[in-house]
Amino acid sequence: MTVFAVEYVYAADSEAARDEHRPAHREWLNGFVAAGRLLASGPYADGAGALLIFTAPDEAGLLQELKQDPFNVQNLVSALKVTEWQPVTGAFADYA
């Protein structure tokens, strides 16, 4: 499995809608946690977006999976960046 850093930029004025859909978003994320594929996730302190660290066989497949995130289904993410990451030290180094 390859490790990917996924960056979400939240849509402007979407805070109330994110609050509404956060339980479904976290349930969706927890499926990846249970499968051992989501290593970490959380919002940026300024509320502008979030960072998610996934494992996946390939970027194309991960992008298809990300489309199913309730935040993406509800158009609460205005920009998405997926970058292959090769951690060499720390807690995630075993996944590289």
Side-chain angles (χ1 to χ4, degrees):
M1 289 275 188
T2 303
V3 178
F4 293 94
V6 177
E7 296 180 74
Y8 280 178
V9 175
Y10 294 142
D13 301 319
S14 67
E15 186 174 349
R18 288 194 322 270
D19 288 346
E20 176 185 348
H21 295 284
R22 185 168 289 112
H25 165 71
R26 288 193 175 160
E27 182 178 338
W28 179 83
L29 290 173
N30 283 331
F32 288 94
V33 171
R37 295 208 27 234
L38 179 60
L39 305 180
S41 69
Y44 295 130
D46 66 2
L51 176 65
L52 307 95
I53 307 296
F54 281 95
T55 63
D58 57 61
E59 183 176 344
L62 178 59
L63 285 168
Q64 288 301 314
E65 291 173 320
L66 291 170
K67 289 180 181 179
Q68 303 307 310
D69 181 343
F71 277 11
N72 285 314
V73 170
Q74 297 297 322
N75 296 312
L76 304 177
V77 176
S78 64
L80 174 87
K81 180 180 178 185
V82 176
T83 305
E84 185 175 334
W85 184 45
Q86 297 177 336
V88 295
T89 60
F92 303 137
D94 292 339
Y95 293 94

